[in-house]
mmCIF file of all heavy atoms in Angstrom:
data_model
loop_
_atom_site.group_PDB
_atom_site.id
_atom_site.type_symbol
_atom_site.label_atom_id
_atom_site.label_comp_id
_atom_site.label_asym_id
_atom_site.label_seq_id
_atom_site.Cartn_x
_atom_site.Cartn_y
_atom_site.Cartn_z
ATOM 1 N N GLY N 504 2.168 -3.356 -8.761
ATOM 2 C CA GLY N 504 1.887 -3.293 -7.335
ATOM 3 C C GLY N 504 2.633 -2.234 -6.570
ATOM 4 O O GLY N 504 2.395 -2.061 -5.370
ATOM 5 N N PHE N 505 3.541 -1.518 -7.210
ATOM 6 C CA PHE N 505 4.337 -0.482 -6.549
ATOM 7 C C PHE N 505 4.400 0.764 -7.432
ATOM 8 O O PHE N 505 4.369 0.662 -8.660
ATOM 9 C CB PHE N 505 5.794 -0.925 -6.349
ATOM 10 C CG PHE N 505 6.007 -2.237 -5.670
ATOM 11 C CD1 PHE N 505 6.004 -3.424 -6.385
ATOM 12 C CD2 PHE N 505 6.252 -2.288 -4.308
ATOM 13 C CE1 PHE N 505 6.244 -4.637 -5.760
ATOM 14 C CE2 PHE N 505 6.491 -3.494 -3.677
ATOM 15 C CZ PHE N 505 6.481 -4.669 -4.392
ATOM 16 N N SER N 506 4.586 1.937 -6.810
ATOM 17 C CA SER N 506 5.024 3.086 -7.589
ATOM 18 C C SER N 506 6.510 2.912 -7.869
ATOM 19 O O SER N 506 7.221 2.236 -7.119
ATOM 20 C CB SER N 506 4.790 4.392 -6.835
ATOM 21 O OG SER N 506 5.577 4.449 -5.656
ATOM 22 N N VAL N 507 6.981 3.509 -8.962
ATOM 23 C CA VAL N 507 8.375 3.379 -9.366
ATOM 24 C C VAL N 507 8.954 4.766 -9.636
ATOM 25 O O VAL N 507 8.406 5.520 -10.453
ATOM 26 C CB VAL N 507 8.515 2.515 -10.642
ATOM 27 C CG1 VAL N 507 9.988 2.347 -11.017
ATOM 28 C CG2 VAL N 507 7.855 1.151 -10.449
ATOM 29 N N MET N 508 10.038 5.107 -8.932
ATOM 30 C CA MET N 508 10.689 6.383 -9.174
ATOM 31 C C MET N 508 11.361 6.371 -10.542
ATOM 32 O O MET N 508 12.145 5.471 -10.855
ATOM 33 C CB MET N 508 11.736 6.646 -8.090
ATOM 34 C CG MET N 508 12.571 7.910 -8.321
ATOM 35 S SD MET N 508 11.616 9.437 -8.173
ATOM 36 C CE MET N 508 11.489 9.558 -6.365
ATOM 37 N N LEU N 509 11.036 7.372 -11.357
ATOM 38 C CA LEU N 509 11.636 7.503 -12.680
ATOM 39 C C LEU N 509 12.657 8.639 -12.717
ATOM 40 O O LEU N 509 13.793 8.452 -13.115
ATOM 41 C CB LEU N 509 10.548 7.760 -13.735
ATOM 42 C CG LEU N 509 9.451 6.708 -13.859
ATOM 43 C CD1 LEU N 509 8.428 7.133 -14.901
ATOM 44 C CD2 LEU N 509 10.035 5.337 -14.197
ATOM 45 N N GLU N 510 12.236 9.824 -12.301
ATOM 46 C CA GLU N 510 13.092 11.006 -12.360
ATOM 47 C C GLU N 510 12.936 11.813 -11.071
ATOM 48 O O GLU N 510 11.958 12.551 -10.923
ATOM 49 C CB GLU N 510 12.723 11.877 -13.558
ATOM 50 C CG GLU N 510 12.855 11.211 -14.914
ATOM 51 C CD GLU N 510 12.444 12.138 -16.029
ATOM 52 O OE1 GLU N 510 13.091 13.198 -16.192
ATOM 53 O OE2 GLU N 510 11.462 11.822 -16.712
ATOM 54 N N PRO N 511 13.876 11.704 -10.141
ATOM 55 C CA PRO N 511 13.764 12.467 -8.893
ATOM 56 C C PRO N 511 13.629 13.977 -9.117
ATOM 57 O O PRO N 511 12.878 14.641 -8.390
ATOM 58 C CB PRO N 511 15.060 12.120 -8.156
ATOM 59 C CG PRO N 511 15.413 10.761 -8.663
ATOM 60 C CD PRO N 511 15.017 10.771 -10.111
ATOM 61 N N ALA N 512 14.337 14.515 -10.107
ATOM 62 C CA ALA N 512 14.253 15.956 -10.352
ATOM 63 C C ALA N 512 12.837 16.353 -10.768
ATOM 64 O O ALA N 512 12.309 17.380 -10.335
ATOM 65 C CB ALA N 512 15.255 16.373 -11.424
ATOM 66 N N LYS N 513 12.214 15.527 -11.610
ATOM 67 C CA LYS N 513 10.841 15.803 -12.042
ATOM 68 C C LYS N 513 9.859 15.616 -10.885
ATOM 69 O O LYS N 513 8.875 16.351 -10.769
ATOM 70 C CB LYS N 513 10.485 14.887 -13.206
ATOM 71 C CG LYS N 513 9.246 15.307 -13.975
ATOM 72 C CD LYS N 513 9.080 14.445 -15.220
ATOM 73 C CE LYS N 513 7.841 14.860 -16.007
ATOM 74 N NZ LYS N 513 7.658 14.011 -17.218
ATOM 75 N N ALA N 514 10.139 14.643 -10.037
ATOM 76 C CA ALA N 514 9.290 14.404 -8.869
ATOM 77 C C ALA N 514 9.547 15.430 -7.765
ATOM 78 O O ALA N 514 8.779 15.512 -6.813
ATOM 79 C CB ALA N 514 9.534 12.999 -8.325
ATOM 80 N N GLN N 515 10.633 16.174 -7.884
ATOM 81 C CA GLN N 515 11.021 17.210 -6.932
ATOM 82 C C GLN N 515 11.204 16.653 -5.519
ATOM 83 O O GLN N 515 10.748 17.229 -4.537
ATOM 84 C CB GLN N 515 10.001 18.356 -6.929
ATOM 85 C CG GLN N 515 9.869 19.053 -8.268
ATOM 86 C CD GLN N 515 8.952 20.256 -8.230
ATOM 87 O OE1 GLN N 515 9.137 21.158 -7.422
ATOM 88 N NE2 GLN N 515 7.955 20.257 -9.095
ATOM 89 N N ILE N 516 11.910 15.514 -5.454
ATOM 90 C CA ILE N 516 12.190 14.902 -4.163
ATOM 91 C C ILE N 516 13.445 14.060 -4.281
ATOM 92 O O ILE N 516 13.752 13.527 -5.356
ATOM 93 C CB ILE N 516 10.987 14.036 -3.687
ATOM 94 C CG1 ILE N 516 11.140 13.644 -2.222
ATOM 95 C CG2 ILE N 516 10.793 12.825 -4.582
ATOM 96 C CD1 ILE N 516 11.073 14.774 -1.240
ATOM 97 N N LEU N 517 14.184 13.935 -3.195
ATOM 98 C CA LEU N 517 15.341 13.053 -3.199
ATOM 99 C C LEU N 517 14.899 11.616 -3.421
ATOM 100 O O LEU N 517 13.862 11.185 -2.915
ATOM 101 C CB LEU N 517 16.094 13.156 -1.870
ATOM 102 C CG LEU N 517 16.764 14.492 -1.550
ATOM 103 C CD1 LEU N 517 17.417 14.431 -0.162
ATOM 104 C CD2 LEU N 517 17.788 14.849 -2.596
ATOM 105 N N GLY N 518 15.689 10.864 -4.158
ATOM 106 C CA GLY N 518 15.365 9.473 -4.431
ATOM 107 C C GLY N 518 16.292 8.915 -5.477
ATOM 108 O O GLY N 518 17.253 9.556 -5.896
ATOM 109 N N THR N 519 15.982 7.703 -5.933
ATOM 110 C CA THR N 519 16.817 6.998 -6.896
ATOM 111 C C THR N 519 15.939 6.378 -7.975
ATOM 112 O O THR N 519 14.931 5.738 -7.644
ATOM 113 C CB THR N 519 17.596 5.859 -6.194
ATOM 114 O OG1 THR N 519 18.274 6.380 -5.050
ATOM 115 C CG2 THR N 519 18.591 5.218 -7.143
ATOM 116 N N PRO N 520 16.277 6.545 -9.252
ATOM 117 C CA PRO N 520 15.521 5.838 -10.286
ATOM 118 C C PRO N 520 15.479 4.332 -9.987
ATOM 119 O O PRO N 520 16.482 3.726 -9.647
ATOM 120 C CB PRO N 520 16.316 6.133 -11.561
ATOM 121 C CG PRO N 520 16.969 7.457 -11.294
ATOM 122 C CD PRO N 520 17.333 7.405 -9.832
ATOM 123 N N GLY N 521 14.293 3.758 -10.098
ATOM 124 C CA GLY N 521 14.115 2.338 -9.806
ATOM 125 C C GLY N 521 13.643 2.042 -8.404
ATOM 126 O O GLY N 521 13.309 0.894 -8.080
ATOM 127 N N GLU N 522 13.569 3.041 -7.562
ATOM 128 C CA GLU N 522 13.071 2.862 -6.192
ATOM 129 C C GLU N 522 11.562 2.627 -6.244
ATOM 130 O O GLU N 522 10.856 3.265 -7.021
ATOM 131 C CB GLU N 522 13.417 4.128 -5.420
ATOM 132 C CG GLU N 522 12.620 4.421 -4.187
ATOM 133 C CD GLU N 522 12.645 5.928 -3.898
ATOM 134 O OE1 GLU N 522 13.740 6.513 -3.861
ATOM 135 O OE2 GLU N 522 11.555 6.495 -3.718
ATOM 136 N N VAL N 523 11.068 1.690 -5.439
ATOM 137 C CA VAL N 523 9.634 1.404 -5.412
ATOM 138 C C VAL N 523 9.067 1.751 -4.046
ATOM 139 O O VAL N 523 9.776 1.727 -3.034
ATOM 140 C CB VAL N 523 9.331 -0.071 -5.766
ATOM 141 C CG1 VAL N 523 9.751 -0.374 -7.188
ATOM 142 C CG2 VAL N 523 9.993 -1.033 -4.793
ATOM 143 N N ALA N 524 7.769 2.071 -4.024
ATOM 144 C CA ALA N 524 7.179 2.580 -2.784
ATOM 145 C C ALA N 524 5.670 2.466 -2.825
ATOM 146 O O ALA N 524 5.072 2.211 -3.871
ATOM 147 C CB ALA N 524 7.588 4.044 -2.587
ATOM 148 N N TRP N 525 5.065 2.665 -1.692
ATOM 149 C CA TRP N 525 3.621 2.914 -1.581
ATOM 150 C C TRP N 525 3.313 3.313 -0.146
ATOM 151 O O TRP N 525 4.187 3.289 0.728
ATOM 152 C CB TRP N 525 2.786 1.718 -2.034
ATOM 153 C CG TRP N 525 1.427 2.155 -2.519
ATOM 154 C CD1 TRP N 525 0.209 1.823 -2.015
ATOM 155 C CD2 TRP N 525 1.180 3.045 -3.620
ATOM 156 N NE1 TRP N 525 -0.785 2.443 -2.744
ATOM 157 C CE2 TRP N 525 -0.210 3.204 -3.726
ATOM 158 C CE3 TRP N 525 2.002 3.741 -4.509
ATOM 159 C CZ2 TRP N 525 -0.809 4.019 -4.683
ATOM 160 C CZ3 TRP N 525 1.405 4.560 -5.468
ATOM 161 C CH2 TRP N 525 0.020 4.684 -5.540
#
Side-chain angles (χ1 to χ4, degrees):
F505 307 86
S506 64
V507 182
M508 175 67 77
L509 302 178
E510 300 179 62
K513 195 172 180 181
Q515 299 185 54
I516 192 66
L517 294 178
T519 308
E522 158 205 309
V523 296
W525 206 242

